[in-house]
Amino acid sequence: MYLKKLTLKGYRNYSDAEVTFSNQINVFLGENAQGKTNIMESIYVLAMTRSHRTSNDKELIGWDQDFARVAGTVEKSSGEYPLEIILSKKGKRAKLNHLEQKKLSRYIGHLNVILFAPEDLSLVKGSPSVRRKFLDMEMGQMSSIYLYHLVEYQKVLKQRNAYLKQHRKSGKLDQTYLSILNEQLAAEGAELLAQRFSFTRRLENWARPIHSDISQGKETLTLEYASSFSVTSETDKKQLMNDLLKQYKKHEQREKEQGTTLYGPHRDDIRFFVNEKNIQTYGSQGQQRTTALSLKLAEIELMNEMTGEYPVLLLDDVLSELDDERQTHLLKTIQDKVQTFLTTTSLDGVKKELLHHPRIFNVRSGQIEMESE
């Protein structure tokens, strides 16, 4: 899979831009605040219908612009097709093959991207919400079934929390209605728990040998899906649903008092162990960075395994954050395999011998100019 062409109109500091890409490595060179990250963000938006930098779509619309348009042409083994996202003050529209998609969940997954930015190095030591977002964003691209259950879970969770909050204020509660919400939330939650556990196991299978290679065989990485419920490969969804319902019943009074749902996959986490030591708590910064890099490289292989296509890789100013050894491992892994977009202020310090025939673009004040090859 690769992105052949990108067209921007009214997007951030790009009033009008059209770029044709190499299916190998594309480098965006320029000083800070010129628009390099905006290009990366626009590709992410084209794939995911949302930004990784802000939850407010209006920020993506350029100054004095009524709307922003991001369009691209994607090439897959099954053929070529156009994607388009239009953002306005009224909302967003997504088009696949020129046809508007009523549900964004039906659009996501037609361009798979993996973003690796400096903040992703905090994936290991950051808060649990960072890792839950990582799970949801990556799994949502790979599995339309997971994305469907995630959307349904979030919808019912919002309703249940609103009802618990309402009860806290009024003191009135319809137990039958709460039981219906419990059943619905537990059913969707069981789906998420089962799929997240499976995903974590599969991600570990890819990440473990990568981590071992980077650490020169000195370290063994293991992942653990951390839930308040016992989840194993033998646990079926019916059991998970019953476990969730038991938790709601057991802690009903506490949830009423706090006006929120205290148990379920929206509170879960992933733990990382190197040589059986929890590196979130006890690991060095180097171990944490190696783990974050291993996870990103493992994602590339897992996405190919699950979808039959390698994703597009976005490296936003991350090479400067990696030492020579980790940088070499990253560039060797993606070499001639994954279409890559790379932003940097300078190629100094980048192992240029590992960039095979890159297409280089200079970015300045919202203008993109390709260097002659």
Side-chain angles (χ1 to χ4, degrees):
M1 174 189 297
Y2 71 97
L3 183 63
K4 292 180 72 174
K5 188 169 75 171
L6 178 71
T7 305
L8 302 176
K9 186 171 179 60
Y11 186 89
R12 295 248 192 211
N13 67 330
Y14 291 96
S15 55
D16 239 319
E18 185 170 296
V19 200
T20 302
F21 300 121
S22 159
N23 63 358
Q24 296 294 316
I25 291 185
N26 301 273
V27 179
F28 296 99
L29 276 175
E31 297 300 320
N32 291 325
Q34 300 302 304
K36 301 189 304 297
T37 292
N38 292 345
I39 298 169
M40 295 296 217
E41 179 189 45
S42 71
I43 297 172
Y44 191 89
V45 168
L46 187 64
M48 303 297 293
T49 77
R50 53 168 288 179
S51 167
H52 62 288
R53 298 157 74 195
T54 176
S55 57
N56 184 358
D57 288 339
K58 290 176 185 175
E59 292 179 21
L60 309 180
I61 302 171
W63 188 254
D64 287 339
Q65 299 287 330
D66 294 323
F67 69 94
R69 177 175 178 265
V70 183
T73 306
V74 177
E75 179 82 31
K76 292 174 82 170
S77 55
S78 57
E80 179 184 301
Y81 52 82
L83 296 176
E84 183 180 16
I85 299 288
I86 297 172
L87 306 158
S88 69
K89 289 164 187 176
K90 295 178 182 177
K92 74 180 97 180
R93 291 184 293 147
K95 293 183 181 180
L96 167 63
N97 226 355
H98 306 295
L99 298 173
E100 188 167 340
Q101 304 299 298
K102 290 183 180 179
K103 290 186 176 180
L104 296 177
S105 57
R106 291 182 179 171
Y107 172 95
I108 294 169
H110 288 90
L111 170 61
N112 292 331
V113 297
I114 290 175
L115 172 71
F116 195 17
E119 57 266 27
D120 291 306
L121 292 167
S122 67
L123 175 64
V124 175
K125 64 179 180 180
S127 68
S129 63
V130 171
R131 289 180 288 280
R132 286 194 296 270
K133 182 182 177 184
F134 161 76
L135 281 174
D136 290 339
M137 299 303 285
E138 308 315 326
M139 291 179 68
Q141 292 188 77
M142 298 184 210
S143 169
S144 58
I145 295 170
Y146 179 84
L147 188 58
Y148 169 80
H149 289 295
L150 176 65
V151 170
E152 291 301 306
Y153 181 84
Q154 290 173 338
K155 194 191 302 178
V156 181
L157 179 65
K158 190 176 179 182
Q159 290 175 327
R160 189 175 188 271
N161 284 343
Y163 193 63
L164 289 170
K165 209 166 282 182
Q166 181 185 318
H167 160 73
R168 191 175 60 174
K169 288 180 181 176
S170 67
K172 297 175 183 176
L173 185 81
D174 181 338
Q175 197 65 48
T176 303
Y177 179 60
L178 182 61
S179 295
I180 291 169
L181 290 176
N182 289 352
E183 289 277 343
Q184 292 175 341
L185 194 63
E188 299 300 339
E191 289 284 349
L192 298 189
L193 286 168
Q195 291 192 51
R196 282 183 180 179
F197 179 83
S198 173
F199 177 83
T200 304
R201 291 279 71 78
R202 294 172 78 171
L203 187 64
E204 180 190 74
N205 288 341
W206 283 107
R208 186 183 291 207
I210 292 169
H211 189 102
S212 180
D213 282 350
I214 299 173
S215 66
Q216 298 176 338
K218 295 173 186 172
E219 297 179 349
T220 301
L221 173 68
T222 53
L223 277 59
E224 177 189 294
Y225 184 69
S227 175
S228 52
F229 309 93
S230 176
V231 189
T232 69
S233 52
E234 282 78 40
T235 314
D236 62 24
K237 291 173 190 172
K238 189 174 180 181
Q239 180 62 52
L240 289 170
M241 183 176 172
N242 287 335
D243 288 347
L244 280 160
L245 287 170
K246 284 176 188 173
Q247 288 280 19
Y248 300 151
K249 189 71 179 170
K250 182 180 177 181
H251 300 282
E252 184 177 300
Q253 189 56 40
R254 191 173 163 220
E255 289 189 328
K256 285 177 184 174
E257 289 168 1
Q258 296 194 26
T260 191
T261 305
L262 298 171
Y263 297 91
H266 63 289
R267 295 291 184 107
D268 289 350
D269 198 359
I270 307 177
R271 295 194 185 108
F272 305 104
F273 298 86
V274 169
N275 296 343
E276 301 183 351
K277 180 176 72 176
N278 186 325
I279 60 161
Q280 282 145 302
T281 307
Y282 303 107
S284 67
Q285 186 184 59
Q287 286 176 321
Q288 291 171 347
R289 289 191 164 207
T290 297
T291 299
L293 176 57
S294 300
L295 291 172
K296 288 293 177 179
L297 295 178
E299 269 191 87
I300 293 172
E301 299 298 343
L302 182 53
M303 205 170 275
N304 178 51
E305 179 186 286
M306 292 181 71
T307 67
E309 300 270 0
Y310 276 109
V312 170
L313 181 63
L314 309 176
L315 300 176
D316 190 14
D317 203 26
V318 79
L319 290 187
S320 59
E321 299 289 327
L322 299 173
D323 59 23
D324 283 356
E325 195 175 318
R326 293 182 182 89
Q327 191 184 113
T328 298
H329 200 94
L330 169 59
L331 294 175
K332 278 187 174 179
T333 301
I334 64 175
Q335 202 165 247
D336 303 326
K337 183 162 66 175
V338 183
Q339 185 189 31
T340 302
F341 295 89
L342 187 161
T343 66
T344 183
T345 53
S346 168
L347 283 173
D348 294 341
V350 175
K351 291 186 170 292
K352 292 189 277 290
E353 68 275 12
L354 296 177
L355 299 179
H356 284 188
H357 310 295
R359 187 169 294 182
I360 297 175
F361 301 89
N362 290 298
V363 180
R364 187 173 182 181
S365 302
Q367 298 294 318
I368 308 167
E369 187 177 310
M370 188 177 83
E371 285 190 4
S372 55
E373 295 182 5

